[in-house]
C-alpha cells in the first residue's frame, strides 16, 4: 500500500534521493505522493519545503526543491479522504514545524481528532493520518519530541507505521506496529523505507523494525527503543541478498514480462537448492496432527494447488483458507496443528492476522515468503524463502510459480521421494521455457488480439487445473480489466454455463492427467452453446478453436499452464493500451484490512 522513503545524511540532494526512492516504490500502487525536505539555513528550527501531487509521479521533477540533507517522501493509497493534494502526505502540525507520514489506518482517529480540535488544533485534511501529527504536537508541549512520538503512537489504535521529522534536529523518529518499516544503514547517511528493495541502490545493511519498535535515526546513529517500555534495544542488522539489477526492468518494457521470463531459471534454481529445506520442513508436516494452508489472492490459489499436490503425491489431507476467512474457522486448532502461510510480500495483513490468531491457539507456523525479514518471515516458527527475487509488478507471477515449485518439492519429500520432486520440477522449468519462446509468445499475443474486446472470459479446469483456472482469471481481471471467471469444470452445469453464448471465449486446461476426459467434456458442452474454445494442452483436439501447446510436466504441469495465463493477461493489457505493472485500484502489498 503506501510507500515510505526517508534520507538523513551528508549529501545535499535529499530531494532527489527521496524522489528516486519513491519511484522504486511506485509498484506498490498509489494515487498521490509528496516529499518534504528541510530548508537550508533555518538554524535550530526546521522549516520545510513540501511538494505534494495527485496521480502518478510520471515525469515530475523535484530539482526546484532546496538543497538539503534531510528529506522524507510518501506514496499514498487513499483510505480516509479522497485523492487530493491536501490529503496527500506529508502532513504537518499547526505550526508547520513537525512533518509526518503515515502508513496504515488509525482506527480511533475520530475520537482523537475531536479531542485535539477541542484543544485548538486546526485540521486541513480529511485523513486519519493528520491526527497523529497534531497529537505529537500536543504531547511535545510537556515532554521531549521522541517521547511525544512514543506516547502519541501508544494512543493510536490499529496497525500503523509513522515517521516524523524532528522539528529542531536532523533526526527521524519512526514507529511501526503492523505496517512494514525498514532502516537502511548507509555510509554517511541512514534511510527509512517501507520496502527493503527501495534501499538497494544505497545499502544492503538493513534492520527490519519489529512491531512496537521505535527508531531514532540521524546521519550517524540509529537507535531502537521499545515503544511500550521506552527502553533501548540492541539491533541485529541483516544483509539483503537481492541485487539492484534484479529490481530493475533491464531490457524489458515492463516488470511483469521481465518477471514472467525469469520463471524457468527460478524453477531450476528451486529444484536444485530447495531440496534440503523441503526435506527438513516435510518432517514438521509429517509430525503435525493437522495442517492448514493460508494465503490471499494468488497466494490462496497456491494453497489450493498445494492441497491437491499433497493429496496426489503424499496421500496427505491439507485444508486451506483465504487469510481473511481463516480467523472464522480456526476454533479446532491445537498446539499439534501446523499452519503454512504463503505470501510474496510477507506483509499481507489478512494472512498475518490469521497467523497471529493461529499462534494464539498454540499452532506452529510455517511461512513460505519471498521477502527476507518481512513480518510473516519473522512471525513464523519456521520460515522458508521462495527465492524468486524482488517481484515488482502488482500482478504476482514468479512468486506464484515459486510457491508451487516449493510445494511440489515438499509434497514429494513428504512422500519420501524427494528426487522425483526435483525431476518433476525440472520438467516444469523446461516446459515453461518453451511457453516463453518467441513463437509461443507470438501465438498467445495473437490470441490476445482476438480476445481484447470481449466482455467476459471463462476458464475451466479440474484437479490442479482448477487453481490454474482461478489464477488465470485473476491475472486477466487484474491487468486487462476484462471480466474473467475461473471455476471447477464440474461446476459448469451447476450454473455458469447459463452465461456462455456465441463467441464467448472459454479457456480449458487439459493436461495429460486424470482430468483430461472430464474436462474435455466440459469444453464440448461450452462449444455446444457457442463458446469459442481455447485449449491449453499437451495435444491438439478438434474441439479447440485455438490451441496453445504445453508439454507435460506431470503434477507440475500447472506451472507452465499458468504461465500461458500470465502471458495472455499481459498481452491483453498491452492490446487494451493498459499499463500491466500498475493496474488501477490495486496495491502490491495489502497492509490494510
Ligand atoms: C496477485 O496478482 C495479487 N496482486 C494479489 O492477489 C496477491 O497475490 C495477494 O494480495 C497476496 O499477496 P502476498 O503474496 O504478498 O501475500
Amino acid at each position: 500500500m503506501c510507500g515510505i522513503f526517508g534520507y538523513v545524511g551528508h549529501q545535499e540532494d535529499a530531494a532527489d534521493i527521496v524522489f528516486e526512492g519513491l519511484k522504486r516504490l511506485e509498484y506498490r500502487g498509489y494515487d498521490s505522493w509528496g516529499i518534504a525536505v528541510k530548508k537550508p539555513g533555518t538554524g535550530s528550527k526546521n522549516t520545510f519545503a513540501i511538494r505534494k501531487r495527485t496521480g502518478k509521479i510520471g515525469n515530475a521533477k523535484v530539482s526546484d526543491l532546496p538543497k538539503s540533507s534531510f528529506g522524507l517522501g510518501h506514496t499514498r493509497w487513499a483510505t480516509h479522504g479522497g485523492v487530493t493534494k491536501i490529503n496527500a502526505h506529508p502532513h504537518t502540525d499547526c505550526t508547520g514545524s513537525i512533518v509526518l507520514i503515515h502508513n496504515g489506518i488509525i482506527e480511533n482517529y475520530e475520537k482523537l481528532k475531536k479531542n485535539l480540535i477541542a484543544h485548538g488544533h486546526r485540521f486541513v485534511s480529511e485523513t486519519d493520518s493528520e491526527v497523529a501529527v497534531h497529537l505529537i504536537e500536543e504531547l511535545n508541549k510537556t515532554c521531549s519530541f521522541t517521547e511525544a512520538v512514543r506516547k502519541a503512537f501508544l494512543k493510536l489504535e490499529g496497525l500503523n507505521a509513522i515517521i516524523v521529522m524532528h522539528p529542531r534536529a536532523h533526526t527521524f523518529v519512526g514507529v511501526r506496529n503492523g505496517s512494514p518499516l525498514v532502516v537502511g544503514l548507509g555510509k554517511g547517511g541512514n534511510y527509512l523505507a517501507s520496502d527493503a528493495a527501495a534501499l538497494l541502490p544505497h545499502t544492503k545493511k538493513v534492520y527490519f523494525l519489529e512491531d512496537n519498535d521505535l527508531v531514532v535515526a540521524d546521519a550517524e546513529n540509529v537507535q531502537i527503543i521499545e515503544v511500550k517500555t521506552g527502553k533501548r534495544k540492541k539491533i541485529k542488522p541483516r544483509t539483503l541478498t537481492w541485487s539492484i539489477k534484479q529490481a530493475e526492468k533491464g531490457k524489458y518494457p515492463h516488470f511483469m514480462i521481465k518477471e514472467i521470463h525469469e520463471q524457468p531459471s527460478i524453477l531450476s534454481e528451486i529444484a536444485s537448492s530447495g531440496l534440503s529445506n523441503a526435506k527438513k520442513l516435510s518432517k514438521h508436516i509429517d509430525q503435525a496432527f493437522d495442517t492448514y494452508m493460508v494465503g490471499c489472492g494468488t497466494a490462496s490459489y497456491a494453497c489450493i494447488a498445494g492441497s491437491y499436490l499433497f493429496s496426489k503425491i503424499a496421500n496427505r489431507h491439507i485444508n486451506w483458507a483465504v487469510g481473511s476467512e481463516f480467523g472464522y474457522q480456526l476454533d479446532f486448532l491445537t498446539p499439534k496443528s501446523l499452519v503454512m502461510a504463503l505470501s510474496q510480500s510477507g506483509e499481507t495483513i489478512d494472512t498475518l492476522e490469521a497467523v497471529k490468531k493461529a499462534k494464539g491457539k498454540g499452532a506452529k507456523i510455517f511461512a513460505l515468503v519471498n521477502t527476507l525479514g518481512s513480518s510473516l518471515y519473522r512471525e513464523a516458527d519456521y520460515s522458508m524463502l521462495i527465492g524468486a527475487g524482488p517481484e515488482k509488478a502488482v500482478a504476482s507471477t514468479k512468486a506464484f510459480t515459486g510457491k508451487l515449485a516449493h510445494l511440489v518439492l515438499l509434497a514429494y519429500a513428504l512422500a519420501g521421494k524427494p528426487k522425483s520432486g526435483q525431476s518433476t520440477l525440472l520438467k516444469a522449468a523446461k516446459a515453461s521455457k518453451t511457453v516463453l519462446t518467441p513463437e509461443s509468445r507470438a501465438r498467445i499475443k495473437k490470441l490476445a488480439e482476438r480476445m481484447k474486446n470481449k466482455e467476459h472470459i471463462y476458464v475451466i479446469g479440474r484437479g490442479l487445473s482448477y487453481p490454474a483456472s482461478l489464477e488465470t482469471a485473476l491475472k486477466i481481471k487484474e491487468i486487462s480489466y476484462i471480466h474473467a471467471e475461473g471455476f471447477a469444470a464440474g461446476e459448469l452445469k451447476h450454473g455458469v454455463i447459463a452465461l456462455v453464448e456465441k463467441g464467448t471465449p472459454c479457456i480449458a486446461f487439459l493436461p495429460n492427467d486424470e482430468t483430461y476426459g472430464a474436462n474435455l467434456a466440459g469444453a464440448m458442452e461450452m462449444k455446444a452453446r457457442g463458446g469459442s474454445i481455447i485449449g491449453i494442452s499437451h495435444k491438439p483436439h478438434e474441439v479447440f478453436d485455438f490451441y496453445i501447446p504445453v508439454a507435460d510436466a506431470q503434477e507440475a504441469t500447472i506451472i507452465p499452464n499458468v504461465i500461458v495465463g500470465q502471458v495472455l493477461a499481459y498481452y491483453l493489457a498491452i492490446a487494451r493500451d493498459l499499463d500491466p505493472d500498475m493496474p488501477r485500484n490495486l496495491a502490491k502489498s495489502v497492509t490494510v484490512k
Side-chain angles (χ1 to χ4, degrees), residues 27 255-257 259-260 298 344 391-400 471 474-476 478-479 566 569-570 580-583 586-588:
Y27 75 95
F255 278 111
M256 184 177 175
I257 195 72
E259 289 160 8
I260 287 174
T298 287
Q344 188 288 127
E391 188 181 72
K392 299 199 95 178
V394 165
S396 186
T397 54
K398 59 179 182 172
F400 177 66
E471 174 59 5
L474 183 67
K475 286 289 95 75
I476 294 173
E478 280 187 299
I479 60 166
Q566 297 168 351
Y570 175 79
D581 282 349
M582 276 186 263
L586 292 177
K588 180 66 183 162

Side-chain angles (χ1 to χ4, degrees), residues 66-77:
K67 291 263 162 251
S68 176
S69 55
F70 186 31
L72 183 59
H74 185 266
T75 50
R76 174 175 187 248
W77 190 86

Side-chain angles (χ1 to χ4, degrees), residues 293-295 297-314 316-321 340 342 368 399-411 462-471 555-559 562:
M293 280 200 268
V294 62
T298 287
S300 76
Y301 301 152
C303 296
I304 304 179
S307 69
Y308 285 95
L309 288 167
F310 281 100
S311 163
K312 250 173 109 97
I313 300 167
R316 185 75 182 222
H317 172 67
I318 290 190
N319 283 323
W320 72 273
M340 298 169 67
L342 272 51
L368 179 56
F400 177 66
T401 52
K403 285 171 199 148
L404 295 181
H406 285 287
L407 292 172
V408 167
L409 289 184
L410 273 169
R462 286 171 182 255
L464 276 159
S465 300
Y466 167 45
S469 306
L470 294 171
E471 174 59 5
E555 293 88 357
T557 311
I558 178 176
I559 293 175
V562 156

Side-chain angles (χ1 to χ4, degrees), residues 20 54 89 140 175 249 327 354 515:
E20 288 305 317
T54 55
H89 301 215
N140 193 205
V175 206
K249 267 188 258 182
T515 67

